[in-house]
Amino acid sequence: MARAPTGGRCSTVLTAMWRRPAGRTHDEAMANLDNRLRPARLERLTVVVDDIEESMTNYGLILGVDQWDLFEDDSRIGELTVQGMPSTASWRSAVGSCPSGQVTFELVQPTSGLSLPQLFRARHRTGIMQLNFAVDTPAELARVAAFFAERSAPVAQRYVRDGAWECVTFDTTALLGYLVHYQAPLRADAPAPGPDRHCDVSQTYSRPGAMTALDIPRLHHIGVVVRDVLGTVARHASVFDVDRWNFINWRREHGRLETPFYRGRPVDHEYLTGRAFDFQGFGFEVIQPTYGPSHYRDDYLDVVGEGIHHLLIAFPSGEDRWAETIEWLESVNVPLVMGSEMRGGSGRFYYLDSREMLGGWVIEASFPRAGRPVVGPINDFSIDYRAHRAE
């Protein structure tokens, strides 16, 4: 495992990484469709990690995220409450983006006291804790808080950074399977919070030969593993203003999964997925494992429970080059663990188990195979929740 030398290439800077924004039943979820949140731009993904220096180096090595802004001064955090209780806690965070700028990660290492990252680490180990969005004013944030309160999703953590930015995480786990965070400036002239120091990890690792980091041109979707896909998708439709969701039962069958494997062996397994890609720059794939062994169930759901399992961020093109990449990733503790050819061999997908290196989540890679016709269904059925509500 790659490790950063003590100290690294870090310096104090003033550059800002924070930007102003450019368990209910199906019937209860349906009742809320007239009052929903418009999908907003995803600001960043918060990942709880054990060691922030080691994680920054690993993100540089694997994903090319070399430039990090660190926030470490506890005195900048005020009015902290966790699950309604006043608290004094500390954590370290680092914010960095992949070279394309399309995906931004916030790594958080809890250090002391009662905080949401500390609770997440105790309950789930490492992993993607929350999705981060932003609004322009305190009034907008108050409306978001009222919206979630009506859906039995209270404030899980709140604090004020630099006396100027209100930061609120809502307990949407029962609703969505993960947490949602919003931030807002407390006044119109609030300066964006600058980091305490900057860290360049590009000199803390090496790759063999001409090997490069995975290219991440976009975040296609966030994969959420749950126990009840229909209920969870209905709750997503009750929260976000996205009506149409498509469903397919993936199983070992021509036109679906042709060559499914799990941990190096052929496997007979099934899972039901609900998908929507109409959000701003990303989508969701909600997955319920239903039969047989799988990474979804055996390595995730049965271990840490529901939550964000993977990100589809890799889109390789050349098969020879991809084979070299797989071999290299396996050599740095990111093994190939599940995948298949699908739809008549016209496409393939793979899961790379990056949990140990990147902090509890899995990389999905997917690409078409040129010259092969698409066989089998794109979807088994679709649900338009707006139309369902109107009936």
Side-chain angles (χ1 to χ4, degrees):
M1 180 178 294
R3 294 178 180 271
T6 302
R9 294 178 59 192
C10 302
S11 58
T12 302
V13 294
L14 298 177
T15 310
M17 281 296 296
W18 285 32
R19 301 180 298 270
R20 285 199 176 95
R24 298 155 61 83
T25 68
H26 180 276
D27 289 341
E28 288 172 331
M30 290 298 95
N32 290 303
L33 284 180
D34 293 331
N35 176 26
R36 295 178 294 167
L37 299 175
R38 285 194 169 276
R41 180 183 181 275
L42 181 62
E43 294 287 304
R44 61 193 186 277
L45 297 151
T46 296
V47 187
V48 174
V49 300
D50 284 329
D51 185 310
I52 208 162
E53 274 82 18
E54 183 175 289
S55 296
M56 287 190 296
T57 292
N58 292 341
Y59 272 73
L61 172 70
I62 297 165
L63 303 181
V65 186
D66 288 332
Q67 308 301 319
W68 295 91
D69 282 350
L70 278 78
F71 298 82
E72 303 171 299
D73 183 353
D74 298 339
S75 68
R76 300 177 64 182
I77 302 297
E79 303 178 32
L80 174 65
T81 61
V82 182
Q83 296 186 342
M85 298 177 288
S87 179
T88 300
S90 64
W91 60 86
R92 304 172 66 208
S93 62
V95 179
S97 299
C98 62
S100 68
Q102 296 303 302
V103 186
T104 297
F105 296 96
E106 177 188 32
L107 310 180
V108 177
Q109 178 188 339
T111 52
S112 67
L114 174 62
S115 69
L116 210 54
Q118 189 78 272
L119 289 175
F120 186 93
R121 177 63 184 85
R123 293 167 175 169
H124 304 283
R125 301 187 70 202
T126 58
I128 298 177
M129 182 177 78
Q130 65 192 26
L131 308 186
N132 297 270
F133 303 98
V135 290
D136 285 319
T137 66
E140 290 179 78
L141 183 56
R143 285 193 289 270
V144 171
F147 173 91
F148 281 124
E150 290 174 358
R151 288 152 180 79
S152 301
V155 172
Q157 177 171 278
R158 176 193 176 273
Y159 61 89
V160 175
R161 183 182 288 274
D162 296 338
W165 287 79
E166 186 173 11
C167 305
V168 183
T169 299
F170 298 97
D171 188 0
T172 51
T173 304
L175 271 177
L176 307 172
Y178 51 86
L179 299 171
V180 172
H181 176 93
Y182 277 80
Q183 65 185 41
L186 291 174
R187 59 182 189 274
D189 62 346
D196 298 314
R197 60 190 178 112
H198 181 77
C199 199
D200 178 351
V201 301
S202 61
Q203 303 303 309
T204 65
Y205 62 83
S206 62
R207 305 186 193 97
M211 191 60 62
T212 60
L214 287 180
D215 179 37
I216 306 176
R218 66 187 187 280
L219 169 59
H220 182 271
H221 71 246
I222 297 166
V224 186
V225 171
V226 300
R227 294 184 173 87
D228 173 15
V229 66
L230 286 175
T232 305
V233 166
R235 290 188 290 274
H236 273 74
S238 77
V239 170
F240 299 113
D241 189 15
V242 173
D243 296 316
R244 187 176 181 84
W245 289 73
N246 300 312
F247 296 81
I248 186 169
N249 173 210
W250 291 105
R251 56 182 182 260
R252 189 182 185 98
E253 178 181 294
H254 185 62
R256 295 179 190 262
L257 302 178
E258 273 87 21
T259 58
F261 67 88
Y262 170 57
R263 295 201 170 276
R265 296 184 177 183
V267 68
D268 184 10
H269 62 197
E270 299 186 17
Y271 41 96
L272 178 62
T273 67
R275 299 163 296 161
F277 305 134
D278 298 330
F279 297 77
Q280 286 196 32
F282 71 102
F284 283 109
E285 179 181 49
V286 183
I287 306 150
Q288 179 185 349
T290 55
Y291 175 78
S294 68
H295 201 273
Y296 304 133
R297 170 180 286 161
D298 297 59
D299 296 272
Y300 193 84
L301 189 61
D302 288 350
V303 177
V304 297
E306 297 183 326
I308 295 175
H309 170 266
H310 68 266
L311 305 176
L312 174 49
I313 54 175
F315 306 89
S317 54
E319 293 193 20
D320 292 341
R321 183 63 173 168
W322 177 237
E324 294 175 3
T325 300
I326 290 291
E327 183 178 356
W328 168 64
L329 288 172
E330 289 186 338
S331 75
V332 295
N333 197 26
V334 183
L336 180 63
V337 290
M338 198 172 88
S340 182
E341 293 188 0
M342 58 186 181
R343 293 179 172 143
S346 62
R348 297 188 297 169
F349 74 96
Y350 295 112
Y351 286 118
L352 300 154
D353 193 349
S354 51
R355 291 177 299 165
E356 289 298 321
M357 294 291 280
L358 300 182
W361 61 276
V362 172
I363 296 170
E364 182 179 4
S366 179
F367 57 99
R369 301 187 73 181
R372 299 197 182 190
V374 176
V375 177
I378 300 299
N379 305 301
D380 286 327
F381 60 91
S382 299
I383 298 177
D384 185 330
Y385 288 93
R386 175 71 62 184
H388 182 76
R389 175 69 177 86
E391 291 177 356

